[in-house]
Amino acid sequence: MCRMLALTGCTSPMVDILLQFQKLSLHGKSTDNKGHKDGWGIGYYTDNIVTLFKKAECAATSSQYMTAVETVRERMPHVLMAHLRKASPRTPVTI
């Protein structure tokens, strides 16, 4: 089962929460106790523009996850959603 996160409000706590959320990709409770390593996504809305980052790789080892977090810090969105993917058995991991 995947993990979803929705945030509204000021940016500083968002960045801290995203960094904690990233840890679930390795240690989040799952049926096989292997975390949520099959992909991630971060999307936000600011200045009438939707921005989306996503990758079919573990958020904990993805340099692009950190790029997305830094972009959140810079852009200071007030609405953000994040996702960690746990693929169902026998489901291909693609984006």
Side-chain angles (χ1 to χ4, degrees), residues 6-31:
L7 299 169
T8 62
C10 61
T11 303
S12 180
M14 275 187 190
V15 170
D16 295 337
I17 292 168
L18 284 171
L19 293 174
Q20 292 300 314
F21 188 64
Q22 181 186 30
K23 294 177 184 177
L24 290 176
S25 64
L26 292 176
H27 306 294
K29 186 176 180 180
S30 60
T31 56

Side-chain angles (χ1 to χ4, degrees), residues 23-89:
K23 294 177 184 177
L24 290 176
S25 64
L26 292 176
H27 306 294
K29 186 176 180 180
S30 60
T31 56
D32 63 4
N33 295 315
K34 294 183 180 178
H36 299 81
K37 300 178 183 180
D38 298 317
W40 61 271
I42 295 175
Y44 60 84
Y45 179 80
T46 187
D47 299 328
N48 294 319
I49 298 171
V50 174
T51 303
L52 176 63
F53 295 88
K54 62 181 181 175
K55 200 74 174 160
E57 61 189 26
C58 182
T61 57
S62 175
S63 62
Q64 287 187 337
Y65 187 93
M66 293 310 299
T67 298
V69 171
E70 285 305 314
T71 303
V72 167
R73 186 187 316 270
E74 293 166 7
R75 296 298 308 244
M76 301 188 319
H78 293 283
V79 178
L80 177 141
M81 290 190 73
H83 171 260
L84 296 175
R85 181 166 186 233
K86 175 67 177 172
S88 299

